[in-house]
Amino acid sequence: MPTGNTTTPTAGQSIDAIARHQHVHNAISTAQCHLAHGRINEATGRILSAARHLKQACTESTTQGRA
């Protein structure tokens, strides 16, 4: 059975970076939906999740060039 991780990395990006981008995008979209329906707590959770993934992506991008 396919696992869904068959995407070929593009422009030097790792599959993890692509998956993280997808997670952040989904979290922000879901947060917008929660906000539109007045669910502040749920929106806050999704925003914090996106922030954690963005922080991890930044950390990885600054340490990749170091040996």
Side-chain angles (χ1 to χ4, degrees), residues 3-38:
T3 61
N5 288 338
T6 58
T7 304
T8 303
T10 58
Q13 289 182 320
S14 69
I15 292 175
D16 289 338
I18 294 169
R20 183 169 289 112
H21 177 271
Q22 290 172 332
H23 180 83
V24 169
H25 183 270
N26 183 46
I28 292 170
S29 294
T30 305
Q32 288 176 323
C33 182
H34 286 311
L35 287 173
H37 291 93

Side-chain angles (χ1 to χ4, degrees), residues 20 23-24 47-63:
R20 183 169 289 112
H23 180 83
V24 169
I47 291 166
L48 292 174
S49 176
R52 282 189 301 272
H53 282 275
L54 285 170
K55 180 179 178 182
Q56 183 64 31
C58 291
T59 300
E60 289 174 2
S61 71
T62 58
T63 59

